[in-house]
Amino acid sequence: MLTQKKHESLRTFYSPFSCKSYDICLPDVLDKRCWGSSHGWLVTLDANFEMHLLNPLSGGQISLPPLHKCPNLNLVCTGKSFRDSFVYKVILSTSPCSSDCVIFAIYSDNWKMAFAKPGDVSWTPLSCIRGHVDDVVCHDGKFYAIDTFGEVLIWDFAGSFLKKITFTPSHDMDNLVYVTTYLVEVEGQIYAIMRLLFDTRITDTPCLNTWYFKIYKLDVCNEKWEEVKSLGDWSIFVGSNHSFSISCSAYPECESNCIYFTDDFSGAYYDTLPGYDMGIYNVQNGRIQPLLQENISDFAFSLPLWIIPSLSQGFFSSVSR
């Protein structure tokens, strides 16, 4: 889903497989920050602190509890600031069609986390965080979050902290100004995808571009990480969305052994860039093929993101059209 360009309801969706664009009228995402999902739903947040799950194809919508009233916040923040930058990422464990669906949020400069289920009246905060959290994945009935200290923190879906696993990848940090790590499930295994970026600024404003990726697989039983040199028949999609993988056998239009990435650097709002940092990274040769180069949006809250379409309406009776 591409960025908001004007104060209008029309939003453009771009398929990297067919290289075609599709315009859909979506009044429910106008002036809202959105996060994508592999389950076909968007998470939306407006400047009045209101948060929803939205299926952009079916129109199904589910209200979420107010995150700004979470017990671990003493908030001094406008609704606009809360929407634009306070909340970093929101993901779903499953489709809302499932009664097991859990929504997980990272917010407050990536220091805080909380979870909720559709129908809950409030969010449940999580503790045991030392550093900024880059990403989270739901796997086997547990939350796995990775922070800047190289620790993977694990909770169950009741919010009980279980343990942490140290993530100590070997990599060359020379000339790098930024590293972000994504967690994704591939064939039932948890992978850490390190995105290494460098600064190409020509003004005082940071301008980050992707340099390359490193991939690691987690051995949960032995609490070890193994560097991965190939994704085989799989590809991974990362950015301002729930990180997900796709089997290229099931989707032959998808390029295998690749990482599809969109720009999720929230500070990249300046007039000197021609477009967002989006592309397809080939794991075998390390080359980056640029994706659609769209102009930077005028709206700081709007970033491009991945979503797998689904016509599901939702499990709960609170769904409206």
Side-chain angles (χ1 to χ4, degrees):
M1 188 174 81
L2 302 184
T3 58
Q4 179 175 318
K5 297 302 181 184
K6 300 177 181 179
H7 287 289
E8 60 182 28
S9 300
L10 201 65
R11 186 60 69 90
T12 300
F13 288 75
Y14 173 77
S15 168
F17 302 158
S18 66
C19 299
K20 293 181 179 179
S21 297
Y22 308 86
D23 290 335
I24 301 177
C25 185
L26 287 176
D28 291 317
V29 302
L30 179 62
D31 294 335
K32 296 181 181 180
R33 191 177 183 111
C34 299
W35 294 270
S37 169
S38 61
H39 310 296
W41 292 70
L42 296 170
V43 180
T44 67
L45 174 64
D46 67 20
N48 294 317
F49 300 102
E50 292 187 0
M51 186 177 285
H52 292 84
L53 299 179
L54 171 70
N55 188 311
L57 294 188
S58 69
Q61 193 164 187
I62 302 171
S63 296
L64 295 179
L67 183 59
H68 68 291
K69 294 183 178 180
C70 193
N72 64 353
L73 281 179
N74 184 13
L75 190 65
V76 181
C77 178
T78 66
K80 182 179 181 300
S81 296
F82 193 83
R83 175 201 64 186
D84 290 359
S85 59
F86 193 87
V87 182
Y88 173 68
K89 180 174 277 193
V90 187
I91 73 160
L92 309 179
S93 64
T94 62
S95 166
C97 293
S98 169
S99 59
D100 297 327
C101 179
V102 180
I103 303 98
F104 190 103
I106 305 171
Y107 53 98
S108 187
D109 291 329
N110 300 39
W111 284 102
K112 298 181 184 296
M113 295 180 288
F115 70 95
K117 295 183 178 181
D120 285 354
V121 296
S122 63
W123 291 79
T124 300
L126 296 173
S127 57
C128 302
I129 303 171
R130 279 207 307 146
H132 296 273
V133 177
D134 280 341
D135 202 9
V136 63
V137 67
C138 298
H139 171 75
D140 195 25
K142 302 179 183 68
F143 299 120
Y144 291 76
I146 190 162
D147 68 15
T148 52
F149 286 98
E151 292 179 346
V152 175
L153 310 172
I154 306 172
W155 298 263
D156 62 24
F157 278 5
S160 300
F161 180 72
L162 301 178
K163 63 178 177 180
K164 64 182 177 182
I165 300 174
T166 302
F167 175 48
T168 54
S170 58
H171 55 83
D172 184 3
M173 294 295 292
D174 290 345
N175 301 318
L176 294 179
V177 298
Y178 194 79
V179 178
T180 188
T181 306
Y182 307 92
L183 293 179
V184 60
E185 183 176 325
V186 182
E187 290 190 287
Q189 300 277 344
I190 296 178
Y191 282 60
I193 312 297
M194 291 187 63
R195 181 176 182 175
L196 292 85
L197 306 100
F198 65 97
D199 193 348
T200 60
R201 78 178 73 189
I202 57 176
T203 66
D204 291 336
T205 306
C207 176
L208 298 179
N209 279 277
T210 299
W211 183 14
Y212 66 93
F213 288 85
K214 300 196 96 173
I215 307 169
Y216 296 85
K217 181 169 63 175
L218 173 61
D219 180 346
V220 177
C221 294
N222 297 311
E223 301 186 6
K224 294 181 179 179
W225 292 91
E226 174 189 352
E227 187 169 359
V228 174
K229 298 296 185 180
S230 174
L231 293 172
D233 190 46
W234 290 80
S235 279
I236 291 171
F237 290 72
V238 298
S240 186
N241 55 273
H242 179 173
S243 306
F244 61 88
S245 61
I246 281 183
S247 167
C248 299
S249 295
Y251 296 89
E253 303 92 344
C254 182
E255 294 188 37
S256 62
N257 199 26
C258 287
I259 300 173
Y260 289 72
F261 63 93
T262 57
D263 199 325
D264 58 0
F265 175 52
S266 299
Y269 307 118
Y270 32 82
D271 299 327
T272 57
L273 268 188
Y276 288 97
D277 177 29
M278 301 192 293
I280 306 172
Y281 176 83
N282 187 297
V283 177
Q284 181 176 356
N285 57 32
R287 295 175 182 171
I288 293 177
Q289 172 188 339
L291 271 176
L292 177 73
Q293 295 300 300
E294 62 163 339
N295 294 330
I296 297 293
S297 173
D298 293 331
F299 305 99
F301 57 81
S302 185
L303 290 169
L305 55 89
W306 299 112
I307 180 171
I308 297 179
S310 171
L311 286 170
S312 58
Q313 291 291 331
F315 180 85
F316 297 89
S317 59
S318 58
V319 173
S320 63
R321 289 187 178 182

